[in-house]
Amino acid sequence: MGSLLSACGINIKKKKTEEERHLRANDREFNLSCQYANNAIKTSKYNIFTFLPLNLFEQFQRLANAYFVFLLILQLIPQISSLSWFTTVVPLLLVLSITLAKDLSDDITRHKNDKQVNNRKVEVLIDRELKSEKWMNVQVGDIIKLENNEFVTADLLLLSSSEPLNLVYIETAELDGETNLKVKQALTLTGKLGNDIQKLAAFNGEVRCEPPNNRLDKFTGTLTMGGETFALDNERILLRGCTLRNTEWCFGLVVFGGPDTKLMQNSGKSIFKRTSIDRLMNGLVLFIFGFLAFMCTILSIGNGIWEYQEGNSFIVFLPRADGANAALSAFLTFWSYVIILNTVVPISLYVSVEILRLGNSYFIDWDRKMYHVKSNTPAQARTTTLNEELGQIKYIFSDKTGTLTQNIMTFNRCSINGKSYGEVVDFAGQRIEITEKTEKVDFSWNQLADPKFSFHDHKLVETVKMGSPEVQSFFRLLALCHTVMPEEKTEGELFYQAQSPDEGALVTAARNFGFVFRARTPETISVVEMGVPKTYELLAVLDFNNVRKRMSVIVRNPEGRLILYCKGADTIIFERLHPSCSKLMEVTTEHLNEYAGEGLRTLALAYKDLDEDMFKEWRLRHHEASTALEDREEKLDAIYEEIEKDLLLLGASAVEDKLQDGVPQTIEQLAKADIKIWVLTGDKQETAENIGYACNMLREEMKEIFIVASNTAEEVREELVNARRKMSPGSGDEPPIVKSGLFGKKSQVVEDEEVDGDYGLVINGHSLAFALQKDMQLELLRTACMCQTVICCRVTPLQKAQVVEVVKKHKKAVTLAIGDGANDVSMIKTAHIGVGISGQEGMQAVLSSDFSFAQFRYLQRLLLVHGRWSYLRMCNFLRYFFYKNFTFTFVHFWYGFFCGFSAQTVYDEWFITLYNLMYTALPVLGLSLFDQDVNDRWSFQYPQLYAPGQLNQYFSKMAFARILLHSCYSSLILFFIPWAAMCDTVRDDGKEIADYQSFALLAQTCLLIAVSVQLGLDTNYWTAVNQFFLWGSLSVYFAVTFTLYSNGMYLIFPSFFPFIGAARNSLNQPNVWLTIFLTTILCSLPVVAKRFFFIQVKPTINDKVRHKVRQAKSVPPPPPTRLSRRRVSTRRSGYAFSHARGYGDLVTSGRFLRIPIKTRSSLFPHTETPVADSTPQTYRIIFEEPQR
């Protein structure tokens, strides 16, 4: 049995959990005994035997599909079935077939890809010679040879390479989306193997390492060879999916193969996010099932009463079966009506919703106004299930660096030994603003200088040339303490591969000031100091991480002196300084505050001379920690802490990161849409504050900006409470909590509290750690949510996710997180919607996101245009869909009272089958794909249009109740008026027309025309496609009706097409068309009257804007004036760079007085604009009128 299941592709074995991997090089027998997976991969889900049963099993796990199978089973029971089987089979088969075809196509593609990958060839060292083998036959422990531009076959331990110092260059685009080359380096010991096949074949090293996992940035292991143990980390590992570049050849030892590789371990299912409308629909579907049972119960009770009172009269010519009575008849009738009234839960709803979402996703992908020309990056909807959620965002959580700013760093200022450099002053000592015309420092004396680097303070260069020991130590530290990899293709032309733009900027600055980082090996760093080549012995690298927030190197200089160089966040470095640095620290702190006030990113730099004996003892313990297989990082951190203390301060650096184009305008627009923006950054408080002012998040007209920077939990609580009471004096101690939830799953929702005016909140990471404690979360939430803007600085990636989780958990609001780096991934995954920016920090954020684009400014178009339209379209679609189906079903319900509750259908069975599939499917899709209340320009001009989505005004439980009432009214009209009109009616020639078939035809025609007119009333924006779908569907209805009711169809299939001649007999009578006209008018009149009344008495924001749109089309409005507001601030902010060209030329030319508003040119050029041509030049606020 097990072999049969295996043949069918079903694996019934439970794999034993692997705790540690132990392998030997060139020993297949030993490695196979461990039963490690080979290098074959399988991403396909099915095979030829399992496809049909497994796919159908998956589809029938969906409630709707299972429900319709249940209906089909009921229809196959003769005593119950009141409809032909095809009324359920046709739509069910159509839906199942579409899904089957899609899944089959996807799986065939996966099979082809698997086959292509598994059959790739690679050279493997077998029996002391290189043999060409398929990838699938490679085993753990094999040594393989890779050549330039080849894909890495498996997860390999790099042994040797053709490049000097055993370096290899790899591209990791398939792993993390990054196209910049990364450098890996083999151990010196294995690098000696070179490409000598005999030495490689004799290599018998043993590797012990972590079990297979999905952590791309981490590897922990050891290599034992010749009795010595060497630490292995991520720098020695080549991962499957990478591509070898600029390297002639390399050899590697297979550590993980096939499904165990980190690439395949990361191919698991991503987190599935559901929209608030999805969650609401789930509840409504349960209600609909209950409502269906309620209607069926009433009709079955009616049948029982009718059978008891009137049924005996029919026994003579309709004899009952043995044992049949009124109770049994009622029971069978219940199930018959379950079949007939099943259209309240139409299967086509789910298909239509997916088509709608897919279409709106394509609109985002195709939007050329969200296409970034410079980077050739279009916007991308990476998921198709969250579009309407974009129209309901209340909170945005944004990273700063690379998201609001460009993440292109330039060395700007520095403080060395208490003296600040980087400012330019005139002869009077007054500061001069630096512009393009400002004289630059001449670096021609340095042949290795970077020609792109610019600096304006000549004093610093002179100080370096004069041989100031402090200044030279400063730049020496920048040239030695980093992880940058140099590349020198031609003599003197250096290219640096830096993991972060900050590091690249600092190393480039040191290069230009005479301390050129030239080359590195695992044991040495080569620099050129003021023209003199020097080589430093590299003894240890104490690497940076988000917890340490610092990096150190320990080197031995050419004179034999041991020195530790350290750079990191100033708060971290200052805690580890020697007491003798207190005065210098005070001066440096002043400079740091000044730099941060100018919006610069700062680092503190320090060093320490080490004792030889102490270092030897420390190095032994460092080696033990670095080769530990368990808790290696924690042990290393403890070792690092021991030596990184009593440091001597050198100074501080400051690099500039400019704002992206259009950020202030975008934030202003989003604020007008009542979207609250929280910035979560790792930068200093002063830097974050000034960026906040520069991009309009913090404004001078705010009543107050609260700063929380306490060191104890009680102080943090006190500051939060004081801030809350200032904003809302009547605020109580207990938060206003509303408990909500179903089936015992209660959630505490904190309601919004009234605040008069705009406030801001700035909180640092230390205080935030206290505020995120369980007993203080609600206090933080209450205070922060009262503010228009919140800035959290010095936060870790984990804290970013925690902040988002708190708001997501306790506020009934939709959250969006936007970032560009790997440190934003947890925040992006936690929020309801994650947006990734493809910037300077790689593609990790994009790969984890739901939507992506190149610039922050595109966020306003994503939300205010695409998000709002998607939400509006989805709500219009659902309201109309439920209306047409409830109306269709209620007519059946009323008919039950006139047919003896016999479960007879009021419509023709073919009309029931085609109603949702053909007659009403395309018009509602046209509405849901193309409708818009106003165009994108007006959406930008009035951001207040976004508010209804935040409040769920377009589709809610109350809106659903109104739909029920509207459908009930329409069904009464659509049943009783045709019934009254047909009762005792004759044709013009005196022949009968008051028969069941004529009444069914009239009822279904009235229904279809009435719901089509309702669709027209619901459509705000008519296109040729809408017109074609609507009129085409009505034409198809009449064409199909006359065809199915023809003599020919009856003669061929008499049992399937019994309505012979009904269309010819009825639709040529004037009274029939008068009845259709009358029912349509009566169905539409209340809708038109209600809308007219509310537009006149209580217009919504949409009504007001649409009125202005109509006015603008008829009469051009006068040019609006916008009073310029000048910011008066006592704050010092040197964040004085231009984001876009100003309007001086336009104003002085007088052209704005002569050109009409309709032909006015955009204030920004189209190619690289802050907000593109869709952004309004003026903002108008429309206030809602108070309720009367």
Side-chain angles (χ1 to χ4, degrees):
M1 182 65 184
S3 58
L4 177 62
L5 290 172
S6 299
C8 294
I10 302 173
N11 186 11
I12 59 171
K13 291 184 179 179
K14 288 188 178 180
K15 189 177 179 180
K16 185 180 178 181
T17 304
E18 188 176 340
E19 296 181 356
E20 179 186 278
R21 176 149 296 200
H22 180 205
L23 60 101
R24 292 177 188 166
N26 294 312
D27 191 344
R28 277 201 169 187
E29 185 179 349
F30 173 81
N31 297 325
L32 286 171
S33 68
C34 298
Q35 297 183 341
Y36 297 137
N38 63 15
N39 203 41
I41 63 165
K42 178 177 178 292
T43 60
S44 57
K45 294 172 65 176
Y46 317 104
N47 60 33
I48 193 170
F49 301 107
T50 62
F51 172 69
L52 198 60
L54 279 183
N55 190 270
L56 289 176
F57 175 73
E58 288 174 0
Q59 290 202 58
F60 289 133
Q61 286 182 316
R62 298 170 188 163
L63 182 62
N65 291 348
Y67 169 67
F68 278 88
V69 170
F70 171 68
L71 289 180
L72 180 60
I73 294 171
L74 290 181
Q75 284 181 282
L76 297 176
I77 302 173
Q79 292 84 355
I80 293 176
S81 180
S82 51
L83 281 174
S84 298
W85 55 270
F86 57 78
T87 57
T88 298
V89 168
V90 171
L92 180 62
L93 279 181
L94 182 64
V95 171
L96 294 178
S97 300
I98 291 173
T99 308
L100 275 168
K102 174 181 171 295
D103 291 345
L104 178 62
S105 173
D106 290 345
D107 211 56
I108 288 174
T109 303
R110 284 193 287 264
H111 271 285
K112 288 180 179 178
N113 292 338
D114 290 347
K115 187 176 181 181
Q116 178 192 358
V117 171
N118 287 331
N119 287 308
R120 285 175 180 166
K121 294 295 184 73
V122 67
E123 289 187 282
V124 184
L125 185 58
I126 302 175
D127 298 331
R128 296 184 173 271
E129 62 177 312
L130 287 174
K131 296 181 180 179
S132 181
E133 283 281 351
K134 293 180 179 179
W135 277 26
M136 66 170 68
N137 297 328
V138 172
Q139 302 288 339
V140 170
D142 287 351
I143 292 178
I144 64 175
K145 179 183 179 181
L146 298 176
E147 295 184 347
N148 193 33
N149 296 327
E150 285 187 350
F151 286 107
V152 177
T153 310
D155 288 356
L156 308 177
L157 168 63
L158 180 61
L159 297 178
S160 61
S161 84
S162 59
E163 298 302 298
L165 311 175
N166 300 308
L167 298 175
V168 297
Y169 298 93
I170 59 168
E171 182 183 285
T172 59
E174 285 200 17
L175 281 176
D176 55 19
E178 297 185 30
T179 55
N180 59 311
L181 297 185
K182 294 181 176 61
V183 181
K184 302 287 184 177
Q185 191 169 30
L187 291 168
T188 304
L189 180 75
T190 61
K192 295 176 182 177
L193 299 172
N195 61 347
D196 188 323
I197 300 301
Q198 299 307 315
K199 287 183 180 179
L200 287 164
F203 177 67
N204 61 352
E206 292 192 19
V207 173
R208 293 181 183 271
C209 66
E210 61 189 14
N213 60 73
N214 61 359
R215 296 189 296 273
L216 294 174
D217 57 345
K218 184 181 176 185
F219 180 84
T220 304
T222 59
L223 171 66
T224 304
M225 184 178 175
E228 291 187 70
T229 301
F230 303 89
L232 300 178
D233 57 21
N234 209 41
E235 296 306 308
R236 319 292 181 198
I237 301 297
L238 305 183
L239 299 182
R240 178 176 180 141
C242 300
T243 307
L244 195 66
R245 302 288 190 200
N246 300 341
T247 306
E248 188 179 341
W249 53 261
C250 74
F251 284 87
L253 172 67
V254 177
V255 179
F256 298 121
D260 292 342
T261 59
K262 292 183 184 282
L263 175 68
M264 296 304 296
Q265 292 280 317
N266 273 283
S267 62
K269 294 180 180 178
S270 58
I271 300 172
F272 183 69
K273 298 180 178 179
R274 301 193 72 87
T275 67
S276 55
I277 286 184
D278 278 333
R279 292 188 290 272
L280 175 60
M281 278 182 57
N282 288 341
L284 292 179
V285 167
L286 291 176
F287 168 79
I288 290 170
F289 277 123
F291 189 65
L292 172 65
F294 172 72
M295 289 192 295
C296 294
T297 301
I298 290 178
L299 293 170
S300 63
I301 292 172
N303 176 268
I305 295 172
W306 190 90
E307 283 287 343
Y308 181 75
Q309 293 181 349
E310 307 289 341
N312 293 331
S313 306
F314 297 88
I315 291 177
V316 177
F317 53 91
L318 285 176
R320 287 175 176 167
D322 294 338
N325 53 34
L328 178 61
S329 176
F331 174 76
L332 296 176
T333 301
F334 175 87
W335 296 108
S336 297
Y337 272 113
V338 167
I339 297 171
I340 290 178
L341 304 180
N342 74 78
T343 45
V344 288
V345 191
I347 194 170
S348 56
L349 172 66
Y350 297 92
V351 179
S352 301
V353 165
E354 292 307 313
I355 294 173
L356 161 60
R357 286 174 170 164
L358 183 64
N360 282 308
S361 298
Y362 279 127
F363 291 150
I364 294 172
D365 294 343
W366 295 337
D367 192 342
R368 299 201 312 190
K369 292 179 182 177
M370 294 173 69
Y371 170 71
H372 191 239
V373 178
K374 276 188 178 179
S375 61
N376 189 27
T377 306
Q380 185 181 11
R382 298 174 56 81
T383 179
T384 60
T385 59
L386 301 173
N387 300 322
E388 66 270 17
E389 197 98 304
L390 289 170
Q392 299 179 274
I393 303 298
K394 183 66 177 178
Y395 292 92
I396 292 177
F397 301 91
S398 174
D399 177 40
K400 182 187 77 68
T401 305
T403 303
L404 301 177
T405 60
Q406 296 178 14
N407 204 15
I408 300 175
M409 308 297 178
T410 55
F411 183 79
N412 191 287
R413 304 283 298 278
C414 63
S415 170
I416 305 174
N417 197 30
K419 189 171 181 180
S420 180
Y421 297 93
E423 276 190 342
V424 180
V425 295
D426 58 17
F427 292 107
Q430 297 296 315
R431 182 175 177 178
I432 300 173
E433 185 178 353
I434 295 174
T435 65
E436 291 183 1
K437 297 180 180 179
T438 305
E439 183 185 359
K440 296 179 181 179
V441 171
D442 182 13
F443 290 106
S444 59
W445 56 272
N446 182 357
Q447 294 182 352
L448 295 174
D450 185 349
K452 297 177 183 177
F453 181 84
S454 63
F455 199 74
H456 301 87
D457 187 356
H458 295 263
K459 291 181 298 183
L460 184 55
V461 179
E462 297 303 322
T463 309
V464 172
K465 288 181 178 179
M466 288 168 60
S468 167
E470 293 86 2
V471 174
Q472 291 199 352
S473 293
F474 180 91
F475 287 112
R476 185 177 294 115
L477 185 153
L478 292 182
L480 295 173
C481 185
H482 55 78
T483 57
V484 173
M485 296 299 297
E487 188 179 355
E488 192 168 359
K489 294 182 178 177
T490 59
E491 181 68 25
E493 285 192 26
L494 279 170
F495 298 94
Y496 290 144
Q497 294 279 352
Q499 289 186 350
S500 73
D502 302 67
E503 274 205 329
L506 294 174
V507 176
T508 302
R511 169 185 175 182
N512 278 264
F513 283 101
F515 288 77
V516 184
F517 167 56
R518 198 74 182 264
R520 72 159 70 240
T521 73
E523 293 86 16
T524 63
I525 297 177
S526 300
V527 296
V528 178
E529 295 185 359
M530 303 304 290
V532 180
K534 290 188 178 182
T535 299
Y536 289 79
E537 185 182 354
L538 180 61
L539 302 173
V541 177
L542 287 58
D543 211 354
F544 174 92
N545 63 41
N546 285 317
V547 178
R548 284 170 38 78
K549 295 185 179 178
R550 65 189 184 278
M551 175 199 174
S552 301
V553 293
I554 299 174
V555 297
R556 189 189 304 276
N557 68 11
E559 291 77 33
R561 181 176 155 208
L562 277 176
I563 310 171
L564 179 145
Y565 288 113
C566 183
K567 69 178 182 184
D570 54 279
T571 52
I572 302 295
I573 300 296
F574 288 173
E575 290 173 357
R576 290 160 175 78
L577 291 180
H578 192 274
S580 63
C581 298
S582 57
K583 288 186 178 179
L584 178 58
M585 186 176 74
E586 291 177 6
V587 178
T588 306
T589 301
E590 291 179 11
H591 293 159
L592 283 167
N593 291 338
E594 180 186 341
Y595 302 156
E598 296 174 8
L600 305 179
R601 293 165 61 87
T602 59
L603 284 176
L605 284 67
Y607 76 100
K608 176 185 179 180
D609 287 315
L610 298 178
D611 176 72
E612 192 77 41
D613 293 333
M614 183 274 289
F615 175 71
K616 285 182 179 177
E617 188 267 334
W618 178 88
R619 195 174 188 181
L620 287 174
R621 290 186 288 113
H622 175 261
H623 179 72
E624 290 176 8
S626 65
T627 55
L629 289 178
E630 292 184 4
D631 303 325
R632 178 185 292 184
E633 289 187 359
E634 291 76 7
K635 292 176 181 177
L636 283 174
D637 283 348
I639 293 292
Y640 294 163
E641 282 286 343
E642 290 181 17
I643 203 165
E644 290 175 324
K645 59 185 179 182
D646 293 333
L647 304 175
L648 299 177
L649 183 63
L650 277 173
S653 66
V655 295
E656 182 181 33
D657 187 12
K658 294 183 179 181
L659 277 182
Q660 291 182 17
D661 292 335
V663 167
Q665 296 91 330
T666 299
I667 288 173
E668 185 177 357
Q669 284 284 76
L670 296 175
K672 288 177 182 291
D674 198 27
I675 297 174
K676 296 186 177 182
I677 301 173
W678 295 24
V679 175
L680 311 175
T681 177
D683 278 341
K684 281 175 63 68
Q685 178 182 319
E686 293 81 0
T687 305
E689 280 185 58
N690 276 277
I691 294 290
Y693 276 103
C695 58
N696 282 346
M697 282 185 295
L698 299 178
R699 300 182 297 277
E700 290 295 334
E701 58 266 26
M702 282 183 167
K703 282 196 169 184
E704 191 169 349
I705 295 168
F706 303 102
I707 295 176
V708 179
S710 300
N711 295 317
T712 66
E714 286 306 314
E715 289 176 356
V716 171
R717 185 189 298 275
E718 184 179 349
E719 289 191 18
L720 289 173
V721 170
N722 290 340
R724 173 170 55 81
R725 287 177 177 165
K726 276 188 181 180
M727 290 185 284
S728 179
S731 175
D733 292 335
E734 293 298 320
I737 291 177
V738 175
K739 292 189 177 181
S740 62
L742 292 172
F743 309 116
K745 294 183 179 179
K746 298 290 183 182
S747 61
Q748 292 185 335
V749 176
V750 178
E751 291 188 319
D752 290 332
E753 299 179 62
E754 290 294 326
V755 179
D756 183 19
D758 287 344
Y759 294 87
L761 174 69
V762 179
I763 182 170
N764 65 23
H766 195 65
S767 300
L768 187 64
F770 292 119
L772 288 172
Q773 291 174 1
K774 196 168 185 180
D775 61 336
M776 214 186 301
Q777 283 184 0
L778 293 183
E779 189 60 56
L780 169 68
L781 188 69
R782 291 179 70 189
T783 305
C785 290
M786 289 181 178
C787 301
Q788 183 65 33
T789 298
V790 177
I791 296 179
C792 304
C793 39
R794 294 295 197 200
V795 295
T796 64
L798 178 60
Q799 285 178 325
K800 290 183 179 184
Q802 288 174 335
V803 170
V804 176
E805 183 61 37
V806 168
V807 176
K808 184 179 172 183
K809 181 179 179 182
H810 295 294
K811 297 295 288 187
K812 194 175 182 181
V814 181
T815 59
L816 179 147
I818 179 169
D820 74 316
N823 60 335
D824 303 316
V825 168
S826 56
M827 171 177 75
I828 285 171
K829 287 184 174 180
T830 302
H832 291 102
I833 291 182
V835 176
I837 289 184
S838 49
Q840 302 293 321
E841 291 191 25
M843 299 288 285
Q844 295 98 323
V846 169
L847 295 174
S848 303
S849 67
D850 305 305
F851 301 88
S852 67
F853 41 70
Q855 296 275 290
F856 181 83
R857 67 174 184 262
Y858 298 142
L859 182 62
Q860 65 167 329
R861 186 166 183 84
L862 183 70
L863 300 187
L864 302 185
V865 178
H866 290 288
R868 200 178 67 80
W869 281 350
S870 294
Y871 173 70
L872 183 72
R873 290 164 179 166
M874 178 61 77
C875 294
N876 284 347
F877 166 79
L878 291 174
R879 287 201 307 266
Y880 176 74
F881 208 100
F882 282 126
Y883 166 76
K884 73 182 182 68
N885 280 87
F886 275 120
T887 304
F888 176 93
T889 306
F890 283 160
V891 174
H892 271 305
F893 182 78
W894 306 127
Y895 183 63
F897 291 88
F898 291 83
C899 67
F901 305 98
S902 60
Q904 185 181 19
T905 59
V906 69
Y907 312 117
D908 171 26
E909 289 183 345
W910 283 106
F911 180 80
I912 295 172
T913 304
L914 301 176
Y915 178 71
N916 278 312
L917 288 182
M918 186 179 293
Y919 301 148
T920 60
L922 289 180
V924 71
L925 277 180
L927 168 75
S928 56
L929 286 175
F930 304 110
D931 198 40
Q932 50 184 258
D933 52 352
V934 293
N935 63 24
D936 56 348
R937 185 174 67 85
W938 287 94
S939 297
F940 280 126
Q941 196 154 341
Y942 297 101
Q944 298 84 0
L945 287 167
Y946 193 80
Q950 296 170 325
L951 303 173
N952 285 315
Q953 289 184 352
Y954 292 149
F955 188 75
S956 60
K957 293 176 183 176
M958 186 60 68
F960 182 76
R962 288 195 293 268
I963 293 167
L964 275 179
L965 293 175
H966 184 198
S967 299
C968 186
Y969 164 80
S970 297
S971 65
L972 287 169
I973 297 294
L974 290 168
F975 174 75
F976 283 103
I977 288 184
W979 176 78
M982 295 294 286
C983 187
D984 299 328
T985 301
V986 295
R987 287 166 46 93
D988 293 343
D989 54 8
K991 293 181 180 178
E992 282 287 339
I993 196 176
D995 59 276
Y996 162 71
Q997 292 186 350
S998 298
F999 171 71
L1001 176 64
L1002 177 58
Q1004 65 196 38
T1005 305
C1006 289
L1007 170 71
L1008 188 61
I1009 293 178
V1011 297
S1012 298
V1013 170
Q1014 180 64 42
L1015 180 84
L1017 293 174
D1018 288 343
T1019 302
N1020 298 307
Y1021 182 70
W1022 285 97
T1023 65
V1025 177
N1026 292 73
Q1027 298 274 8
F1028 175 76
F1029 282 171
L1030 181 60
W1031 297 112
S1033 295
L1034 288 173
S1035 302
V1036 166
Y1037 165 70
F1038 284 108
V1040 169
T1041 298
F1042 277 101
T1043 301
L1044 296 183
Y1045 297 175
S1046 64
N1047 295 2
M1049 296 298 291
Y1050 176 77
L1051 292 173
I1052 299 171
F1053 305 105
S1055 59
F1056 289 117
F1057 302 102
F1059 278 50
I1060 180 172
R1064 296 195 309 273
N1065 189 48
S1066 301
L1067 294 181
N1068 61 357
Q1069 298 301 303
N1071 60 339
V1072 170
W1073 287 103
L1074 179 63
T1075 303
I1076 294 171
F1077 178 74
L1078 182 61
T1079 54
T1080 304
I1081 292 297
L1082 288 176
C1083 285
S1084 307
L1085 195 58
V1087 178
V1088 175
K1090 177 198 166 196
R1091 292 182 184 177
F1092 178 80
F1093 175 79
F1094 278 101
I1095 287 175
Q1096 298 301 318
V1097 176
K1098 190 182 175 183
T1100 63
I1101 182 72
N1102 298 65
D1103 296 331
K1104 294 177 182 179
V1105 174
R1106 290 176 65 193
H1107 177 65
K1108 285 189 173 288
V1109 172
R1110 287 191 291 269
Q1111 283 184 326
K1113 287 180 179 178
S1114 57
V1115 180
T1121 58
R1122 186 184 182 191
L1123 295 176
S1124 60
R1125 296 175 300 181
R1126 185 176 180 182
R1127 176 181 159 200
V1128 180
S1129 174
T1130 57
R1131 294 178 54 84
R1132 176 177 175 182
S1133 175
Y1135 210 64
F1137 43 78
S1138 174
H1139 303 292
R1141 187 178 177 184
Y1143 313 141
D1145 293 342
L1146 178 65
V1147 174
T1148 55
S1149 68
R1151 292 196 301 271
F1152 72 104
L1153 298 174
R1154 299 193 295 269
I1155 300 176
I1157 192 170
K1158 275 194 170 183
T1159 59
R1160 180 176 61 188
S1161 61
S1162 174
L1163 292 181
F1164 302 98
H1166 180 72
T1167 53
E1168 217 5 73
T1169 68
V1171 280
D1173 61 358
S1174 60
T1175 305
Q1177 288 93 40
T1178 60
Y1179 305 117
R1180 307 174 190 172
I1181 299 177
I1182 296 182
F1183 296 100
E1184 292 278 5
E1185 291 183 2
Q1187 296 183 3
R1188 299 175 182 174

